[in-house]
Amino acid sequence: MRPVHKTLDQFLTYKMHRLMKQHDKRIAQSYADTAQLSLAESRVLAAVGTAGALSNSELARRANLDKSQASRGADGLVSRGLVRRAPDEHDGRAVKVTLTPEGERVWRVVIDAARTHYDQLFATLTDDEMGVYEQLLDKLLLRSDELDEQG
C-alpha cells in the first residue's frame, strides 16, 4: 500500500526537488569558484562538451534549461570565447553550438567539479543501493517522458 502524504515534505517529488536545489546551490558555487561560470553557463558547456554540436532546442533539453536560459548561457560562453555558433550544415536556417579549444579546457574543469560533487553526494549509498536508485530514476524518467508526450 502506498503511503498517505499529509504534508508537502512527505512527497517523494518534493524531496527530490529539495535535494536538487541543494545540489544546484553547492555546484553553482563550485562552478563560479573554479571556472567563473554561472550554473546555466556550466550546464550549457557540459551539454555541448558531452554531446558535441547542438542546436538551441537540443541544447535546452540536454542542459535541462528552458530555451531562454540556454540561449543566455550560450551567449555568455560565446562572449568568453568558450563556445561558438555556426550554421548547421544540414539546415541553413539552424545554428549549432560547439566548443572552442578553450571551451574544451574549461569543460574538463566543469566535468571534474561535477564528478566531485556527484561522488560526495552518492558516497552515502552502497553499490547495490546506487544500482537500485539508478534503475528507479530511469523508470520514473521514462514515465515522465510518456506523460509529457500525452500532453
Side-chain angles (χ1 to χ4, degrees):
M1 183 166 104
R2 295 186 191 265
V4 175
H5 298 100
K6 297 178 183 176
T7 62
L8 180 63
D9 62 345
Q10 292 176 322
F11 281 84
L12 182 59
T13 50
Y14 176 82
K15 291 178 183 182
M16 291 184 326
H17 182 73
R18 187 172 152 235
L19 176 66
M20 286 313 306
K21 292 298 267 185
Q22 291 171 339
H23 176 72
D24 282 353
K25 182 180 175 184
R26 285 189 304 272
I27 205 160
Q29 186 61 55
S30 177
Y31 292 152
D33 292 345
T34 61
Q36 294 73 51
L37 297 175
S38 70
L39 184 58
E41 290 169 336
S42 298
R43 284 186 176 169
V44 167
L45 192 73
V48 175
T50 301
L54 295 171
S55 69
N56 287 333
S57 59
E58 293 169 328
L59 185 58
R61 186 179 56 77
R62 285 188 171 264
N64 199 24
L65 299 168
D66 63 42
K67 287 182 183 178
S68 63
Q69 290 172 314
S71 181
R72 284 192 305 274
D75 288 346
L77 296 172
V78 167
S79 70
R80 293 187 51 193
L82 301 178
V83 299
R84 69 175 70 83
R85 288 188 172 107
D88 185 335
E89 358 176 295
H90 304 293
D91 180 355
R93 298 166 295 161
V95 172
K96 294 279 190 174
V97 178
T98 60
L99 292 180
T100 65
E102 178 63 7
E104 173 88 19
R105 186 192 67 75
V106 175
W107 171 71
R108 293 186 190 288
V109 170
V110 166
I111 289 301
D112 287 346
R115 188 172 293 113
T116 296
H117 284 274
Y118 179 90
D119 290 345
Q120 288 172 347
L121 179 62
F122 288 102
T124 192
L125 299 180
T126 66
D127 289 345
D128 287 344
E129 290 170 331
M130 190 65 180
V132 169
Y133 184 69
E134 287 177 344
Q135 279 184 313
L136 294 173
L137 277 180
D138 287 345
K139 189 173 184 176
L140 288 169
L141 285 168
L142 283 173
R143 178 62 179 150
S144 185
D145 288 343
E146 290 170 359
L147 293 171
D148 281 351
E149 289 172 10
Q150 292 174 8

